[in-house]
Amino acid sequence: GGANPGDFAIGGGSCASLILFQGESCVVEVTFAPQAGGAREATLEVAIEGEPALAVPLSGSGQTKKLTVPGSTGFPTTTVGGTSTEKVLLKNTSEAGVNVNEVTIEGADPADFGIEGSNCVGYLGTGMSCELSVRFTPGASGTREALLRVSTDATPADYVTELSGEAAAPEIAFEPASYDFGLTEVHSGGQRTNLTLRNAGATSVQLSNLQITGPGANEFWIPGSGCWGTSLAPGSTCWIEVQFNANEEGSLAVALSIQAGTVVFQAPLSARAERPPAVAPPDPLTFGPTAVG
């Protein structure tokens, strides 16, 4: 009987139906199998013919060995090639220490998720916790999913957290989409123009590798830009200034290039440089009367 009778049981001997003469004894074997952690209590009741019943208090402490781990973690919509990070907390809520043996990522898209910094492998004492920093770097658009598995010596031994995130392809637009510097005189000091870069997508993008590419790219340069290493929010813009140097004669076709995540966007640039033509004076060129010598 008592508060937790299901945690205790009469084992090999019960003394039931025995007659005890003066000085004799018998043994009652009681087992303790706690069904929960913490203090557990019950009463062993012995009915004796012609006597008041005996009540023997029983007590024990249940010791659990388990972790509290979230069942799922969602990531915000992330640009393909970009990165989002979420925290997954492992907490020892039991009465005994737990050893974390291994932390792995598996499932449908394991390559799109990773662990940054500590993987929490080691000993977690009672009340202790460890935080996993999980990285989401999608390699393709759409829904991406994986499983975070924490293997321990607890009960249960494995804890699984479902990981999911939505990936969106970056959408970057140059304004104007292309630019022609036209005809420029060689060594004239060069022409400059500004182009606007707009994030037309649904997620922020990290910009990198701003450059001019193609044959004759050294005839152009970028004096300044607000796009260097910028994280561009949806609908936001940044500016890029481009100059055509016109050091050599000829027609040129190059591209202004920038990378958003793993995708490269380009705006075609064209220009032509020529030397100014020599113009003859009017014919005839007449000199006035002049003294000999």
Side-chain angles (χ1 to χ4, degrees):
N4 311 117
D7 290 14
F8 300 84
I10 297 173
S14 69
C15 295
S17 302
L18 291 182
I19 297 176
L20 295 181
F21 293 97
Q22 187 173 0
E24 292 183 335
S25 63
C26 70
V27 176
V28 179
E29 182 181 296
V30 181
T31 61
F32 175 46
Q35 299 178 17
R40 312 295 288 173
E41 297 178 345
T43 302
L44 175 65
E45 298 176 354
V46 183
I48 303 175
E49 184 180 354
E51 299 286 341
L54 297 178
V56 182
L58 306 175
S59 64
S61 179
Q63 189 178 70
T64 58
K65 193 172 186 178
K66 63 181 180 180
L67 295 180
T68 298
V69 180
S72 63
T73 296
F75 292 79
T77 302
T78 304
T79 302
V80 174
T83 299
S84 297
T85 303
E86 292 291 334
K87 305 295 184 181
V88 176
L89 183 67
L90 314 181
K91 185 173 179 61
N92 184 352
T93 56
S94 60
E95 292 78 25
V98 173
N99 288 299
V100 177
N101 300 322
E102 187 180 25
V103 177
T104 57
I105 294 178
E106 56 194 53
D109 308 300
D112 288 6
F113 300 85
I115 298 172
E116 296 181 338
S118 171
N119 61 3
C120 291
V121 170
Y123 179 78
L124 284 180
T126 301
M128 292 178 59
S129 61
C130 181
E131 195 172 56
L132 288 169
S133 181
V134 182
R135 179 186 67 252
F136 176 44
T137 307
S141 59
T143 301
R144 315 297 287 174
E145 298 176 337
L147 299 176
L148 174 70
R149 184 178 298 276
V150 180
S151 300
T152 72
D153 64 351
T155 302
D158 286 357
Y159 298 85
V160 175
T161 300
E162 297 179 355
L163 306 176
S164 63
E166 193 74 20
E171 297 181 35
I172 299 296
F174 283 96
E175 300 173 356
S178 62
Y179 188 79
D180 182 12
F181 285 89
L183 179 61
T184 302
E185 183 179 320
V186 173
H187 302 308
S188 63
Q191 296 187 50
R192 294 190 180 192
T193 189
N194 281 341
L195 286 86
T196 298
L197 193 66
R198 182 180 302 277
N199 182 357
T203 63
S204 296
V205 294
Q206 184 65 41
L207 303 177
S208 62
N209 297 333
L210 176 62
Q211 58 184 327
I212 295 173
T213 60
N218 59 334
E219 285 293 292
F220 299 81
W221 74 299
I222 302 173
S225 173
C227 300
W228 299 106
T230 299
S231 179
L232 201 61
S236 298
T237 62
C238 60
W239 58 274
I240 305 169
E241 184 179 27
V242 181
Q243 178 172 318
F244 174 47
N245 296 322
N247 292 319
E248 301 291 339
E249 286 187 277
S251 297
L252 298 169
V254 298
L256 176 62
S257 172
I258 196 165
Q259 187 168 332
T262 57
V263 183
V264 176
F265 296 85
Q266 293 184 331
L269 303 176
S270 57
R272 189 168 88 255
E274 291 182 1
R275 298 183 184 278
V279 180
D283 185 27
L285 181 62
T286 303
F287 292 84
T290 305
V292 174

